[in-house]
Amino acid sequence: MYDFIVSLLYYTVQMSTPLLLCCIGGVFVQKAGTMNFALEAGINVGAFSSIVFTVISGSIFAGICSSFIWCLVLNAVFGLFVIKLKANATIVGLSLNMIISAIPPFLLSVFFPSRGFLSALDIIDLASMKVDVPILRSIPFISDIFNNQTRLTYLTFFIIIFLTFVFYKTKFGVYIQVTGENKGAAEAVGINTNFLKWVALAISACTCAMAGMNLSVELTGMFNLNIASARGLICLSAINCGKKRPIQACLFGLLFGFSNALQVCLSKYVDVNTTELFKVIPYITIIIVFLITEIPVSMKNTMRIFREA
Amino acid sequence: MSTIIETRNLTKKYGDFTANKDVCLKVEEGEIRAIIGENGAGKSTLMNMLYGTLKPTSGEILFDGKPVTFDSSLDAIKCGMGMVHQHFKLSPSLTVYENIILGLEMSREVSIFGKKVTLPVINNKKEKEAVRQLIQRYNFNLDPGAKVKDLSIGAKQRVEILKMLYRDVKVLILDEPTAVLIPQEIEELIEKIAELKKMGKTVIIITHKLNEVKQCADTISVMRRGHLVGTVKNDDSATPETLANMMVGRPVQLVAAKSPKPVGKEVVLDVSHLSAKDSYGKAVVNDVSFQIHDNEVVGIAGIEGNGQTELMYLLSGLMKNSGGSVKVKGKEVLGMWPDELRAEGIGIVPEDRYRQGVCLPLSVSFNLISGYHGDKRFCHSGLMDYAEIRKNKEKLVEEYDIRLSDSADPPVEALSGGNAQKVIIAREFSHDPSVLLMAQPTRGIDVGATEYIHDEIIRFRDKGKAILLISSELTEVKGLTDRLLVMYEGEIVGEFVSDEVSFEELGLYMSGAKRMKKDA
């Protein structure tokens, strides 16, 4: 039982990492008043480009750089349509998700041996991706959960603190909040809201790239077509459940990470068919979370047709 | 006194349409200037040109004697001109001080080795203190640390005014400042404006409410169809009647004449012990009982937020009740949905015109039948009869004098507020209901359309109808009705014969200072 709990918590930390990264960056875009459906595409692009360029160049560093660049390009395309051309953000985001899901199989089947996955395991040493932290090592229990995680997991912790600070304590963060709540208020005092949206998209691109790299380079050393597995969409619901506030959104991200971990840990104890069934756990969690947060609100509502604002 | 703002032959054209024509306005420093005119008279266009959000087609603007051109409202603010818009430009989840300082944030400074270094971090403490001093200096009643979303509308407006004062403007333009305020807040605002004048600020108020203009303005400029038709001193010769004449261009009757026809004997609408709770479990409508007879208009007066809105929701089937009954000609209708209510002969003119009254992107002809889609006239075995719908529109547009813009059947969003309201009135009146429920029927509507709607109400009463009129305009609710009920905290606290009660007496009941004993 102890082992089960420890491994459950260890996996929670591990599996929350990409969700938390995606959430914290996504909060800025959402708060700036743009619905960024392309988070899913961002994770895919981050994961795919990092592995492809690692394989081509033989250097992980080149893979990391390209991952950032391609995610920025992706979000620039999103921004071009949504901010510059004022297209509907949901539709643009959805189409980007579709397009991005089609590009890897095409490139893989043309240039690489298999169309379903691309392995960089001869370049990436998975064991070296995990870090043994001396301070954590000596603490019992804590060590089993937090030690030997990947670099990005530790970095995520600091990124969340830093971006939350930026969100609440700097001009930029306050302007982002105002832009999403009342664009007119920002523009009336001379704030360039479009510029803010571009910066928010750039932040989100970087965190998505990191989320993608965490999944591909750090955890598996390969890319497969199902690598993002709707994490971008899960993050979108985490952000909305957390009312577009950074810490709250991250807490929901953590909850969804936990349900992912639960699925992985429980799978060890059951047969293959049940494992497949357990894959619904994260999604069921989302539905339950929505029920828990929404039912009391609608129970209290005494209006019959619409809700009072 | 010197002239602070002057416009010379200011003209603004949109294609063939001239919104402002050769406007020559002179505003003296330190005065309170009211600019009045009907909707669409060009007041807002003029102000937007002064404030830099619109570019004039021709003519020039002089500020403090010097010609100026503004590319944006920022230039106007730098020059010393501030504007408070009708729709507030505030961020609800931020605090009062954050909203006031927005755009001019103070950074935190630290000294490292004796050198001052500015950090890219906001100094919340210093900002809050600065705003506290600002509030104190102008004697505004506000808590700098409160979240804007928790404030009343009046307080939000004070935040907007302070936002401009923080930028040290000399001229303050207020666009329809009283449209959204309750009576006490209006009093408070008028006092504040007088105080600002004493501090040497110039205030320009755009409005169409004549009583308030009389109370606070020094001089009054009147606009009509894009022209500045005159500027008068606010003295005894400028009565609301003469001002209304200037605005409309013909004599106007500000309060409709009552009909001599006596109230009928039959009880048409019978409301008894009606109650409802809001989402927080608070009783917002509490044991309300009243009756309306044929040939009778019953008014409900009260300060907004005392349950009138919820009472209207209950009667029009939009809210769950927690007890009581509503009978129309003896038949129980409480708990029915709006379409069933309409079938029972209840006409509804809702308070929030654009949310519950019309569907903005839909055409006038469809809005004129909405709620009555199932009517045999317009719908045969599930198919809409477009020819009949169009005929209905043509008839009602003619009959109710709805002024459509250039096209034959525009969406309602292209109409002015007065004409949108006429669409609702035409729809409800034309189906000949036996009971008519009306809430704030003339809110935000110009003098001409108000006069028209008042006449229609009286005419409808004389057809033997029962009318409930909920309004926060005391003159309207007292002038049009036969009986008047006062609502306070969800209860009916007084009932009067409209012609026999004074405004002062009503005020005491509305503020909760007096109440009548309830019959057992």
Side-chain angles (χ1 to χ4, degrees), chain A residues 31 165 168-172 174-175 177-179 181-182 184-191 245 298-309, chain B residues 73-74 77 88-94 98 102-105 120-122 124 163 167 277-279 313 317-320 335-338 355-356:
Chain A
K31 194 69 205 187
F165 182 80
Y168 286 115
K169 292 288 172 190
T170 65
K171 267 191 202 188
F172 169 72
V174 171
Y175 290 177
Q177 294 181 51
V178 177
T179 302
E181 284 185 11
N182 187 346
E187 281 163 359
V189 293
I191 294 169
R245 284 177 290 195
S298 90
M299 292 271 281
K300 271 198 275 171
N301 180 30
T302 53
M303 302 305 298
R304 291 172 71 177
I305 294 174
F306 59 95
R307 251 186 218 177
E308 273 298 77
Chain B
S73 51
L74 271 190
I77 291 173
F88 301 139
K89 299 198 180 287
L90 297 172
S91 184
S93 76
L94 296 184
E98 281 172 312
L102 187 68
L104 301 169
E105 278 76 6
V121 178
I122 294 174
N124 296 74
K163 199 159 121 186
R167 286 158 172 78
K277 293 189 171 78
D278 69 1
S279 306
Y313 283 158
L318 295 177
M319 192 176 179
K320 293 173 195 156
M336 282 189 178
W337 292 91
R355 263 177 83 192
Q356 291 132 23

Side-chain angles (χ1 to χ4, degrees), chain A residues 182, chain B residues 84-90 153 156-157 160 180-181:
Chain A
N182 187 346
Chain B
V84 174
H85 297 265
Q86 193 178 354
H87 303 286
F88 301 139
K89 299 198 180 287
L90 297 172
I153 292 173
K156 281 182 190 159
Q157 189 174 50
E160 279 280 31
V180 288
L181 299 184

Side-chain angles (χ1 to χ4, degrees), chain B residues 197-405:
Chain B
K197 183 194 164 185
K198 275 189 205 136
M199 293 179 184
K201 307 275 182 200
T202 311
V203 183
I204 301 178
I205 303 171
I206 309 167
T207 183
H208 57 247
K209 290 197 183 170
L210 298 171
N211 293 334
E212 290 143 24
V213 169
K214 280 297 294 173
Q215 273 183 59
C216 68
D218 294 321
T219 45
I220 303 164
S221 296
V222 184
M223 291 196 74
R224 186 171 75 228
R225 289 196 199 126
H227 294 264
L228 189 68
V229 291
T231 299
V232 293
K233 279 237 154 345
N234 186 14
D235 50 26
D236 292 339
S237 66
T239 62
E241 282 75 20
T242 58
L243 291 172
N245 289 356
M246 281 174 83
M247 269 164 71
V248 185
R250 63 178 166 82
V252 180
Q253 207 169 11
L254 285 177
V255 181
K258 261 181 210 173
S259 147
K261 202 167 172 181
V263 172
K265 292 274 183 293
E266 185 200 358
V267 174
V268 182
L269 180 72
D270 183 2
V271 177
S272 66
H273 305 292
L274 186 61
S275 304
K277 293 189 171 78
D278 69 1
S279 306
Y280 306 98
K282 191 183 143 207
V284 278
V285 175
N286 194 358
D287 201 20
V288 166
S289 305
F290 60 89
Q291 294 180 331
I292 307 181
H293 305 84
D294 55 326
N295 278 319
E296 186 178 36
V297 186
V298 171
I300 291 186
I303 296 164
E304 265 179 79
N306 275 294
Q308 301 96 312
T309 305
E310 287 80 4
L311 177 63
M312 186 68 185
Y313 283 158
L314 279 171
L315 294 176
S316 52
L318 295 177
M319 192 176 179
K320 293 173 195 156
N321 64 294
S322 61
S325 88
V326 178
K327 291 195 175 90
V328 172
K329 292 187 172 166
K331 189 177 176 195
E332 180 65 52
V333 298
L334 187 62
M336 282 189 178
W337 292 91
D339 59 334
E340 298 170 313
L341 289 173
R342 285 200 158 95
E344 291 297 326
I346 299 180
I348 302 161
V349 179
E351 175 178 335
D352 194 334
R353 197 173 307 147
Y354 297 119
R355 263 177 83 192
Q356 291 132 23
V358 289
C359 177
L360 284 172
L362 270 188
S363 66
V364 169
S365 60
F366 274 91
N367 270 294
L368 281 171
I369 63 153
S370 61
Y372 298 97
H373 284 90
D375 199 318
K376 281 199 194 80
R377 251 179 78 201
F378 309 118
C379 180
H380 314 301
S381 43
L383 297 173
M384 304 307 295
D385 182 346
Y386 282 82
E388 190 59 39
I389 291 170
R390 197 170 52 244
K391 232 186 277 166
N392 176 61
K393 180 209 85 183
E394 272 152 20
K395 182 170 153 263
L396 293 182
V397 164
E398 172 78 32
E399 204 177 311
Y400 289 85
D401 189 29
I402 302 167
R403 310 233 174 109
L404 307 180
S405 40

Side-chain angles (χ1 to χ4, degrees), chain B residues 14-250:
Chain B
Y14 298 98
D16 291 338
F17 177 69
T18 310
N20 271 190
K21 175 92 179 121
D22 292 333
V23 175
C24 299
L25 179 78
K26 262 189 185 179
V27 181
E28 303 296 323
E29 190 166 359
E31 71 165 339
I32 300 176
R33 168 70 60 97
I35 296 181
I36 60 173
E38 292 197 276
N39 288 335
K43 301 170 300 213
S44 303
T45 308
L46 177 62
M47 287 306 121
N48 283 326
M49 285 194 287
L50 285 181
Y51 196 52
T53 39
L54 278 181
K55 284 223 162 213
T57 314
S58 63
E60 56 177 346
I61 302 168
L62 285 82
F63 191 85
D64 241 349
K66 288 182 280 290
V68 284
T69 46
F70 298 139
D71 288 326
S72 74
S73 51
L74 271 190
D75 294 346
I77 291 173
K78 270 181 210 145
C79 213
M81 200 142 40
M83 182 154 163
V84 174
H85 297 265
Q86 193 178 354
H87 303 286
F88 301 139
K89 299 198 180 287
L90 297 172
S91 184
S93 76
L94 296 184
T95 60
V96 167
Y97 76 87
E98 281 172 312
N99 267 292
I100 288 174
I101 294 209
L102 187 68
L104 301 169
E105 278 76 6
M106 298 171 185
S107 293
R108 196 171 290 178
E109 286 175 343
V110 285
S111 62
I112 301 171
F113 306 122
K115 263 193 175 174
K116 278 227 156 135
V117 180
T118 312
L119 297 178
V121 178
I122 294 174
N123 191 341
N124 296 74
K125 233 172 147 185
K126 199 170 150 197
E127 286 189 348
K128 200 170 170 180
E129 178 57 26
V131 170
R132 208 185 52 75
Q133 282 173 8
L134 182 79
I135 291 172
Q136 221 165 38
R137 174 145 56 102
Y138 289 101
N139 191 22
F140 275 47
N141 176 24
L142 272 177
D143 169 15
K147 290 249 165 83
V148 164
K149 64 179 170 201
D150 301 330
L151 298 181
S152 68
I153 292 173
K156 281 182 190 159
Q157 189 174 50
R158 294 200 287 277
V159 175
E160 279 280 31
I161 295 175
L162 281 171
K163 199 159 121 186
M164 289 302 142
L165 293 175
Y166 182 77
R167 286 158 172 78
D168 215 19
V169 296
K170 284 192 228 161
V171 182
L172 197 62
I173 304 172
L174 303 173
D175 184 10
E176 299 279 0
T178 59
V180 288
L181 299 184
I182 63 173
Q184 283 96 333
E185 286 177 329
I186 294 176
E187 293 277 312
E188 210 181 320
L189 177 72
I190 289 174
E191 278 170 32
K192 280 281 162 294
I193 291 173
E195 277 175 40
L196 288 176
K197 183 194 164 185
K198 275 189 205 136
M199 293 179 184
K201 307 275 182 200
T202 311
V203 183
I204 301 178
I205 303 171
I206 309 167
T207 183
H208 57 247
K209 290 197 183 170
L210 298 171
N211 293 334
E212 290 143 24
V213 169
K214 280 297 294 173
Q215 273 183 59
C216 68
D218 294 321
T219 45
I220 303 164
S221 296
V222 184
M223 291 196 74
R224 186 171 75 228
R225 289 196 199 126
H227 294 264
L228 189 68
V229 291
T231 299
V232 293
K233 279 237 154 345
N234 186 14
D235 50 26
D236 292 339
S237 66
T239 62
E241 282 75 20
T242 58
L243 291 172
N245 289 356
M246 281 174 83
M247 269 164 71
V248 185
R250 63 178 166 82

Side-chain angles (χ1 to χ4, degrees), chain B residues 395-503:
Chain B
K395 182 170 153 263
L396 293 182
V397 164
E398 172 78 32
E399 204 177 311
Y400 289 85
D401 189 29
I402 302 167
R403 310 233 174 109
L404 307 180
S405 40
D406 39 12
S407 89
D409 195 9
V412 171
E413 61 197 345
L415 304 186
S416 70
N419 282 310
Q421 184 73 333
K422 279 187 193 170
V423 168
I424 301 173
I425 301 247
R427 176 179 73 211
E428 301 301 333
F429 282 34
S430 65
H431 285 86
D432 199 36
S434 46
V435 181
L436 188 64
L437 310 171
M438 305 183 96
Q440 319 291 358
T442 59
R443 168 175 289 172
I445 288 177
D446 57 62
V447 181
T450 300
E451 187 190 22
Y452 179 85
I453 289 170
H454 285 173
D455 286 346
E456 281 298 318
I457 294 173
I458 295 294
R459 258 221 304 269
F460 205 65
R461 167 198 184 268
D462 290 349
K463 285 189 198 161
K465 312 293 183 182
I467 300 175
L468 177 71
L469 177 69
I470 299 174
S471 173
S472 52
E473 297 267 353
L474 263 189
T475 43
E476 172 176 276
V477 85
K478 186 172 173 302
L480 283 177
T481 57
D482 300 292
R483 262 186 311 134
L484 193 52
L485 309 171
V486 178
M487 249 182 128
Y488 176 72
E489 291 188 343
E491 292 178 51
I492 302 282
V493 294
E495 179 176 345
F496 310 91
V497 174
S498 306
D499 293 339
E500 293 169 7
V501 64
S502 68
F503 284 113

Side-chain angles (χ1 to χ4, degrees), chain A residues 48 104-119 222-225:
Chain A
F48 182 63
F106 167 71
L107 291 179
L108 288 181
S109 57
V110 174
F111 298 106
F112 296 97
S114 158
R115 97 175 260 288
F117 70 97
L118 178 63
S119 168
M222 62 169 78
F223 172 82
N224 66 61
L225 294 183

